[in-house]
């Protein structure tokens, strides 16, 4: 197993920024992704990064505003979120997969989630 722990969520005004972190217990050799789920909605893909960090993928709704990165020496993946909007409000989850993918069913391990609330 690869226990994942997210941190960095909170309350921010529209236009503000937050940086989420996801730390894996032990050495992570996985592709990593961020997903989010708002009340009443299905879990949706946000961003993903390859094992080496060379390749990334973003949902259209966050392109140009969010940046995913990783520090393998620290077993940590980051999601820098800028120009936040009220519609970004959700619980954000990080997840680990064997491949770079946008499909949540291809992720094997999930964190517990961290709440992000953007006020208007």
């Amino acid at each position: 197993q690869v226990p994942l722990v997210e941190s960095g969520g909170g309350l921010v005004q529209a236009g503000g920024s937050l940086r989420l972190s996801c730390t894996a217990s032990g050495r992570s050799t996985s592709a990593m992704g961020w997903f989010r789920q708002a009340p009443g909605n299905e879990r949706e893909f946000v961003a993903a990064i390859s094992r080496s960090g060379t390749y990334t993928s973003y949902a259209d709704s966050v392109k140009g505003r969010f940046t995913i990165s990783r520090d393998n020496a620290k077993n940590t993946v980051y999601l820098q979120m800028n120009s936040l909007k009220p519609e970004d409000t959700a619980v954000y989850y990080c997840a680990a997969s064997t491949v770079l993918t946008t499909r949540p069913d291809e992720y094997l391990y999930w964190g517990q989630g961290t709440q992000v609330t953007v006020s208007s």
Side-chain angles (χ1 to χ4, degrees), residues 7-20 81 84-86 88-90 92 114-120:
S7 62
L11 173 64
V12 64
Q13 288 188 330
S17 298
L18 282 175
R19 188 177 79 158
L20 306 183
M81 305 185 295
L84 282 161
K85 305 175 181 179
D88 293 319
T89 296
Y92 282 71
T114 185
Q115 177 70 46
V116 171
T117 303
V118 184
S119 63
S120 57

Side-chain angles (χ1 to χ4, degrees), residues 45-65:
F45 169 76
V46 176
I49 189 167
S50 64
R51 185 183 309 177
S52 66
T54 302
Y55 303 101
T56 58
S57 179
Y58 295 92
D60 288 343
S61 58
V62 306
K63 277 181 183 176
R65 300 188 299 123

Side-chain angles (χ1 to χ4, degrees), residues 17-120:
S17 298
L18 282 175
R19 188 177 79 158
L20 306 183
S21 299
C22 173
T23 300
S25 174
R27 181 168 172 264
S28 174
T29 58
S30 305
M32 300 293 293
W34 285 96
F35 291 78
R36 66 187 182 187
Q37 188 167 18
N41 291 354
E42 294 186 353
R43 192 167 297 189
E44 66 173 355
F45 169 76
V46 176
I49 189 167
S50 64
R51 185 183 309 177
S52 66
T54 302
Y55 303 101
T56 58
S57 179
Y58 295 92
D60 288 343
S61 58
V62 306
K63 277 181 183 176
R65 300 188 299 123
F66 290 12
T67 302
I68 189 170
S69 62
R70 68 189 298 163
D71 184 341
N72 287 340
K74 296 181 178 179
N75 297 329
T76 300
V77 176
Y78 305 97
L79 185 68
Q80 178 66 44
M81 305 185 295
N82 299 329
S83 303
L84 282 161
K85 305 175 181 179
E87 51 263 44
D88 293 319
T89 296
V91 177
Y92 282 71
Y93 300 89
C94 71
S97 174
T98 58
V99 296
L100 180 64
T101 178
T102 65
R103 294 177 50 175
D105 61 346
E106 292 186 330
Y107 283 80
L108 305 176
Y109 306 107
W110 292 81
Q112 294 299 306
T114 185
Q115 177 70 46
V116 171
T117 303
V118 184
S119 63
S120 57

